[in-house]
Amino acid sequence: MRFHLLVIVIVALWTATFTLAEDIATKLYPYIYTNLNNWPCVRLLNATSTIGCHVPSTGSGVVYHIKSQDDLDSFVNGDIGTSDAYSIVLGYDLFTRQNIHALDSTGRVVGLVALLRGAMDQAQLANVKSPDSPCPNCQFGLYAQDEDAYVWNVDGQDLIGESFSIPIFGLNPTSQSSKQIYSYVMDMVRYNEERGYSHYPLQAMDFNIFMWAAVNSETCLRRGWCEPVGGLSVFASPSLNIQADDGKPVVVLAAAMDSRSMFHDLTIGTNTDVSGVVALLAVAEALSRVPTTNLSKHILYTLFAAEPWGFAGSQRFVQDISHPFSCTNASRAIKCPFSNAPCTNPCVRSLGFTKINMDNIDAIIEFNSVANANGSGYWGHVDDTTVSGPLVDSLVQSGNASIQPAYQDGTQRKLPPSSTMSFLAKKRDTRAVVITDYQKQLGSLYNSDVDDAAASNTSIQSICQLATATAKTIYADAQGNNTDAVAANCTLVASLMDCLVSNFSCPFMQNYFNVSGISRVSHYTSVFNVRNPQPQLIPRFAFTFLADVTGVDQQRSCQTIQDCDSDEYCVKQRCIKTFTAYHDAYGTGLQYDEGTGEIKVVDPTKGTWTESTWNAPMLRVFLVTSRKHQIVELVVGILCTIASMTAVLFGKRFFKKTFKID
């Protein structure tokens, strides 16, 4: 009996000891480690493979700053550094596929921190190359089967299509928080430099990016470890009574609503997508100030989500307006989340897309990258000069926007990566022009993490002139009268560029949202929740703005949408009747099964992109002792363990002898 009591006492003491040790460790953690806010590269998957980053834990590494290509080469060759492991800090200009693989091959790198625009000078920015592939989205585009398809991004590194075995984080000091973190990291660098990276203790980092998904999209969807990459597109028309069978031609104005880069949370895309979105909204506002109700053609504004991911938004839109839609209220695995849904199987917010007939689409004008940062003017790209050349000529003659045919040098490169391809894949003889600020190459900022600069006055004026020329062309094509009255608002263009690039809580945005304290918002599309899709901030704004400029004020005030009729929206505290709607945007290679509530890969040749679920990524810093010191600590720890075990054995013998236990 006494022995059993003794055992209980010993177990209780050990439990208390471990609990106390755990409590001490928790209390000591903030004195040892500092967790930093972080912006990681994450894992994505498609029908055949994975890309991005996934590293559960890599251990710690001494913070080391590589400042030049020579520094990097010396590190790779083993001429620099005495530690066994390093956490590398380097500028985005050195962030190339070749350099990353070279660093990884040394076996001494536990993680990378890439310094973006806010930490770079002009010389470094000049050396940046696009991280996208030489032929972005080609396998999903109009020319996927063409053997001699034009290569639009010849210097593209395909970084964003690579899978990495080391954790990679981005750091762009633009907000107060990111500036503090950048300052902290650079203080660590200076500390280690002053000690020659050899006099311990030194500043170190460790990383953790655990991604649950593996293998491919089909596998991770079956296991429930990923979600489709996507969001909600937005479309609108001033023709409130548009019908699929009204026989009226439709002129489409299009732009991609989001961009892509290595670090999704830092994605902006000033040139890649924001400039096109702003140009489209400026056209819509300009045409809202002239009569559009009695035109011989409908005008349709479309902003597509998830375009960098296999043209997901435009392909799904074209697919849905090209096939009969069956609306039922049959039972489904998960309750339809929308109140007053027109049908629940499939569950949709609106039937607006069924009023658009693909066969009625007469012309498409798309804004691609139109920031015109270098002042070279604009270029009109077409698939067929015979079919679409006259539309380019109309744009050239509509104003002083310096628009030129991209094929004027005698080379027909056809269309760059664009939403227009999705429409032409269905109806190739449609008149279509893609307007860009490049003739031959997408440029170094295409889908780049440093495509986030504020727009210059030159760029704002160029976008405004382009919007005016395009609005005049569309109005004339729809047989509107008095195109001289059509003009874009350059003040609006400046406000939109400021709000969407660097200050989402700007005064202009307060007209549409009650937002504060938001500087930048990511232009990465995010993931599409098929069970309850909700718009991100960018599509929410686009929807509200287009509803405002294309709708009809019902002369009633409101505070929320509940104050308006079922077919109206509350915009600027006024009830508005509008033909504006969201549309699901995720890869057409994926399909949601309403009966089972599962998402399945149905066509691997189309967009099947998914994003892994993950544990919270971690980036923490601390002082680390030398390897010799750590070995001494280990030896001391082992000796302490042996001593403890010896004490337990002797204690056991002592108690047996004292209590005379056999």
Side-chain angles (χ1 to χ4, degrees):
M1 181 67 179
R2 286 180 297 174
F3 179 70
H4 290 305
L5 287 173
L6 178 62
V7 170
I8 292 172
V9 170
I10 292 174
V11 170
L13 287 172
W14 273 107
T15 303
T17 300
F18 283 123
T19 302
L20 179 61
E22 184 176 330
D23 184 55
I24 291 173
T26 302
K27 290 181 178 179
L28 287 178
Y29 187 95
Y31 296 99
I32 300 173
Y33 301 103
T34 300
N35 290 337
L36 301 181
N37 290 342
N38 54 81
W39 299 269
C41 154
V42 300
R43 168 173 281 184
L44 296 108
L45 308 93
N46 58 23
T48 59
S49 60
T50 67
I51 64 170
C53 306
H54 163 72
V55 187
S57 181
T58 58
S60 62
V62 171
V63 176
Y64 189 88
H65 189 196
I66 291 179
K67 301 178 182 179
S68 66
Q69 188 64 48
D70 289 341
D71 280 354
L72 192 145
D73 293 338
S74 296
F75 181 90
V76 171
N77 294 331
D79 301 332
I80 294 177
T82 58
S83 174
D84 291 330
Y86 288 92
S87 299
I88 300 298
V89 178
L90 76 169
Y92 194 74
D93 56 312
L94 299 174
F95 195 67
T96 66
R97 189 172 187 170
Q98 181 178 355
N99 283 345
I100 294 173
H101 285 300
L103 290 169
D104 190 20
S105 68
T106 66
R108 298 192 296 156
V109 176
V110 300
L112 299 177
V113 176
L115 303 178
L116 308 184
R117 177 182 287 274
M120 300 171 69
D121 57 33
Q122 290 301 315
Q124 291 173 310
L125 288 168
N127 292 325
V128 168
K129 295 181 180 179
S130 169
D132 211 331
S133 70
C135 196
N137 265 341
C138 278
Q139 67 271 40
F140 307 110
L142 190 61
Y143 313 115
Q145 305 305 318
D146 291 9
E147 295 182 0
D148 59 345
Y150 185 75
V151 178
W152 286 98
N153 196 29
V154 68
D155 292 328
Q157 302 180 66
D158 199 22
L159 271 176
I160 56 181
E162 181 82 355
S163 181
F164 296 103
S165 59
I166 55 176
I168 303 174
F169 288 75
L171 179 53
N172 192 16
T174 55
S175 65
Q176 181 178 354
S177 172
S178 58
K179 287 178 181 178
Q180 289 174 345
I181 294 170
Y182 172 71
S183 177
Y184 195 104
V185 170
M186 298 315 293
D187 284 344
M188 295 171 63
V189 166
R190 283 188 288 271
Y191 177 92
N192 286 354
E193 287 177 342
E194 290 170 358
R195 290 172 171 260
Y197 293 101
S198 59
H199 299 292
Y200 288 85
L202 293 172
Q203 296 283 357
M205 288 183 182
D206 67 6
F207 309 79
N208 193 309
I209 314 176
F210 184 80
M211 301 284 145
W212 286 90
V215 186
N216 53 37
S217 288
E218 182 177 8
T219 302
C220 74
L221 286 169
R222 185 178 67 251
R223 295 172 176 172
W225 289 347
C226 61
E227 294 282 354
V229 173
L232 292 172
S233 300
V234 178
F235 64 90
S237 175
S239 302
L240 302 189
N241 297 319
I242 185 173
Q243 296 293 331
D245 59 357
D246 61 13
K248 209 171 179 179
V250 179
V251 179
V252 175
L253 183 62
M257 194 161 35
D258 40 48
S259 186
R260 181 182 179 184
S261 68
M262 277 288 293
F263 309 106
H264 297 164
D265 292 336
L266 301 176
T267 302
I268 297 296
T270 302
N271 294 277
T272 306
D273 77 286
V274 177
S275 59
V277 171
V278 169
L280 184 146
L281 297 180
V283 170
E285 192 278 335
L287 292 180
S288 73
R289 291 183 273 112
V290 295
T292 55
T293 53
N294 296 317
L295 297 177
S296 61
K297 298 180 181 180
H298 298 301
I299 300 172
L300 182 68
Y301 306 111
T302 56
L303 287 167
F304 294 116
E307 288 300 274
W309 307 95
F311 306 117
S314 58
Q315 286 195 0
R316 188 161 291 278
F317 182 77
V318 169
Q319 173 183 282
D320 290 349
I321 66 173
S322 302
H323 298 92
F325 179 74
S326 177
C327 181
T328 75
N329 290 313
S331 61
R332 60 197 308 269
I334 299 172
K335 182 181 178 182
C336 182
F338 309 128
S339 59
N340 300 319
C343 55
T344 58
N345 191 340
C347 174
V348 294
R349 296 171 183 266
S350 163
L351 293 177
F353 68 95
T354 63
K355 299 180 179 182
I356 302 166
N357 189 334
M358 180 66 203
D359 292 334
N360 289 344
I361 293 179
D362 174 64
I364 305 163
I365 298 176
E366 179 177 350
F367 294 128
N368 202 292
S369 171
V370 294
N372 193 27
N374 58 12
S376 62
Y378 295 108
W379 304 89
H381 304 264
V382 300
D383 176 57
D384 187 321
T385 55
T386 303
V387 173
S388 302
L391 186 55
V392 177
D393 294 339
S394 297
L395 286 162
V396 171
Q397 298 164 10
S398 290
N400 58 347
S402 300
I403 303 173
Q404 306 169 70
Y407 45 86
Q408 69 176 10
D409 60 355
T411 301
Q412 170 55 312
R413 302 170 190 84
K414 298 190 176 181
L415 296 179
S418 52
S419 306
T420 298
M421 290 181 169
S422 302
F423 289 88
L424 296 190
K426 195 69 179 178
K427 187 182 173 188
R428 195 70 177 257
D429 61 350
T430 305
R431 296 181 300 149
V433 179
V434 176
I435 303 174
T436 71
D437 58 5
Y438 56 84
Q439 181 185 19
K440 302 176 182 179
Q441 289 293 304
L442 294 171
S444 62
L445 294 180
Y446 186 75
N447 282 341
S448 171
D449 295 277
V450 296
D451 183 15
D452 64 341
S456 65
N457 289 332
T458 299
S459 180
I460 290 169
Q461 291 301 315
S462 296
I463 294 172
C464 187
Q465 291 171 1
L466 174 64
T468 296
T470 305
K472 287 178 179 290
T473 300
I474 291 174
Y475 199 57
D477 193 77
Q479 298 181 9
N481 297 318
N482 190 20
T483 59
D484 292 339
V486 177
N489 182 341
C490 295
T491 301
L492 171 66
V493 171
S495 295
L496 288 172
M497 289 300 293
D498 173 55
C499 298
L500 296 179
V501 171
S502 58
N503 183 20
F504 196 77
S505 298
C506 63
F508 176 80
M509 201 63 69
Q510 302 302 323
N511 295 320
Y512 301 95
F513 295 119
N514 182 19
V515 291
S516 62
I518 302 176
S519 54
R520 294 186 169 204
V521 294
S522 171
H523 287 246
Y524 167 60
T525 188
S526 191
V527 295
F528 182 78
N529 184 343
V530 294
R531 298 158 191 84
N532 187 15
Q534 296 297 325
Q536 301 289 328
L537 285 174
I538 301 298
R540 277 186 62 196
F541 165 68
F543 180 100
T544 309
F545 182 93
L546 287 174
D548 182 31
V549 298
T550 63
V552 176
D553 189 342
Q554 299 302 293
Q555 304 300 315
R556 296 194 311 276
S557 62
C558 59
Q559 295 299 319
T560 67
I561 193 172
Q562 284 74 27
D563 298 329
C564 302
D565 292 344
S566 59
D567 60 344
E568 299 170 356
Y569 292 92
C570 185
V571 179
K572 293 183 177 179
Q573 298 183 335
R574 306 292 296 174
C575 290
I576 300 291
K577 181 171 286 189
T578 178
F579 182 74
T580 303
Y582 293 112
H583 195 78
D584 294 353
Y586 61 98
T588 51
L590 301 173
Q591 181 175 301
Y592 178 63
D593 188 325
E594 302 275 349
T596 63
E598 297 176 345
I599 311 162
K600 299 178 180 178
V601 174
V602 293
D603 188 347
T605 66
K606 296 181 180 179
T608 57
W609 287 107
T610 57
E611 180 182 299
S612 173
T613 54
W614 64 78
N615 293 346
M618 184 185 70
L619 173 60
R620 64 181 184 179
V621 298
F622 53 94
L623 281 172
V624 66
T625 56
S626 68
R627 181 52 61 98
K628 290 181 180 179
H629 194 127
Q630 293 175 35
I631 292 173
V632 170
E633 289 176 338
L634 177 62
V635 171
V636 171
I638 292 172
L639 292 174
C640 288
T641 301
I642 293 172
S644 298
M645 293 173 64
T646 303
V648 169
L649 290 173
F650 277 104
K652 183 178 179 181
R653 290 180 181 178
F654 172 78
F655 284 122
K656 280 187 175 181
K657 184 177 180 181
T658 302
F659 294 101
K660 299 183 174 156
I661 301 170
D662 294 332

